[in-house]
Amino acid sequence: MILTVDIGNTTVCVCGVERRETAELSARFCTRLSTVHGKSGMEYAAELRQALEDAGVALTEIDGAVVSSVVPALNDPIHACICEVLGQEPVWITCRSRTGLTLDVEHPEKLGIDRIVDAAWVAANCPLPAITVDLGTCTTFNVIDEGGVFRGGAICVGMATGLKVLAARAAQLPELRLDQVGSVIGRNTEACMSSGAAIGAAAMIDGMVARMEQELGAPATLVLTGGMARYAEPFCTHPHIYEPHLLAKGLLLLYEWNTPAKKREPVRACG
């Protein structure tokens, strides 16, 4: 089992990913630690040990760790955490790692590593061109052209982020946690906000993907992922694949490609 660690703006997502005999990947467990600036590596280590214990995972089952990060301030504490818990250095993914992608963008070093990881897995396993949409703190679109060329994409306000801003700026709008979203036409304030967030995000995805396909001059494989994707995905009309563990699978793939002792193997292809 490999520990995949994604340091995001809201949470640090930790998954235990292993490969089955069929070469299909299985996420044994996933947990989220709060992204807190100033928290020490030892504090994160205590949380991680507890998460592993709760999941019934023994340290002897973990062969290594791989990390992507979009929060540089947390890199040192998380590095110290992994070294403390596992007793070994993790593999860090950067724009210079082996990804199978050609980064055809300005300033590749400024590209979010999570976007590179998502794109790398899709480029290796799905028909191209392809578009990934990751719905988290931000909603990010990545466009991967034929030959694994990363063309760029778009970054939009995330669903939960937008709801928090509404509640903070509008006196009569409450804080809202998305649960079940029904009709597009809401009949009360909460229903209106839920519709605007979830179904509005789905409509945005459909519209953005259609315009991206126009620029590409070809239809694209659409892959949806991210913590908020489960709310918008049912309302997307564009044909798509929903892969909640896309980032973890991409991290395992890049761990294998960037660890000399590991042999490159195909991961379960898109269905």
Side-chain angles (χ1 to χ4, degrees):
M1 181 191 308
I2 299 300
L3 212 61
T4 66
V5 182
D6 172 50
I7 305 173
N9 290 295
T10 304
T11 61
V12 179
C13 183
V14 182
C15 293
V17 185
E18 54 192 6
R19 190 184 297 281
R20 298 173 179 170
E21 293 181 359
T22 59
E24 182 177 340
L25 296 186
S26 172
R28 171 91 171 268
F29 79 94
C30 281
T31 188
R32 294 181 181 273
L33 312 177
S34 296
T35 297
V36 179
H37 294 271
K39 186 188 295 186
S40 71
M42 295 304 100
E43 290 175 303
Y44 274 114
E47 290 186 28
L48 179 55
R49 284 196 179 96
Q50 187 61 55
L52 293 173
E53 182 179 334
D54 293 343
V57 175
L59 293 178
T60 54
E61 298 180 73
I62 302 173
D63 299 316
V66 57
V67 187
S68 66
S69 174
V70 296
V71 189
L74 265 63
N75 290 359
D76 286 346
I78 294 299
H79 187 92
C81 162
I82 294 170
C83 292
E84 171 68 19
V85 174
L86 301 187
Q88 59 178 294
E89 298 272 339
V91 174
W92 286 82
I93 302 303
T94 73
C95 66
R96 290 175 291 278
S97 300
R98 182 185 178 193
T99 63
L101 299 171
T102 299
L103 302 179
D104 184 23
V105 295
E106 297 178 6
H107 310 297
E109 70 280 0
K110 295 182 179 180
L111 188 62
I113 302 303
D114 53 344
R115 299 178 65 189
I116 293 175
V117 174
D118 283 350
W121 191 90
V122 169
N125 294 279
C126 297
L128 298 179
I131 299 169
T132 71
V133 184
D134 194 331
L135 292 94
T137 305
C138 300
T139 296
T140 57
F141 293 76
N142 302 316
V143 178
I144 311 99
D145 210 344
E146 294 180 359
V149 179
F150 187 100
R151 296 292 186 196
I155 301 175
C156 310
V157 173
M159 293 165 57
T161 305
L163 287 171
K164 288 180 180 178
V165 171
L166 279 177
R169 292 297 186 92
Q172 290 187 303
L173 295 182
E175 286 195 26
L176 178 70
R177 294 184 63 181
L178 287 171
D179 187 10
Q180 292 185 337
V181 183
S183 170
V184 66
I185 303 174
R187 300 189 63 189
N188 57 56
T189 300
E190 289 78 6
C192 288
M193 293 174 69
S194 295
S195 171
I199 303 178
M204 176 185 68
I205 290 169
D206 289 334
M208 289 289 284
V209 169
R211 286 164 173 77
M212 288 175 173
E213 287 179 327
Q214 285 183 335
E215 289 193 19
L216 287 169
T221 304
L222 174 59
V223 183
L224 304 181
T225 192
M228 303 300 292
R230 64 186 184 276
Y231 300 113
E233 183 271 334
F235 302 102
C236 289
T237 59
H238 192 289
H240 61 273
I241 298 160
Y242 174 45
E243 179 47 80
H245 299 303
L246 176 60
L247 190 56
K249 291 182 175 182
L251 280 171
L252 176 58
L253 178 68
L254 297 187
Y255 173 86
E256 293 174 340
W257 285 6
N258 290 275
T259 305
K262 298 292 180 180
K263 182 176 71 174
R264 175 176 174 175
E265 298 177 16
V267 188
R268 178 177 64 83
C270 289

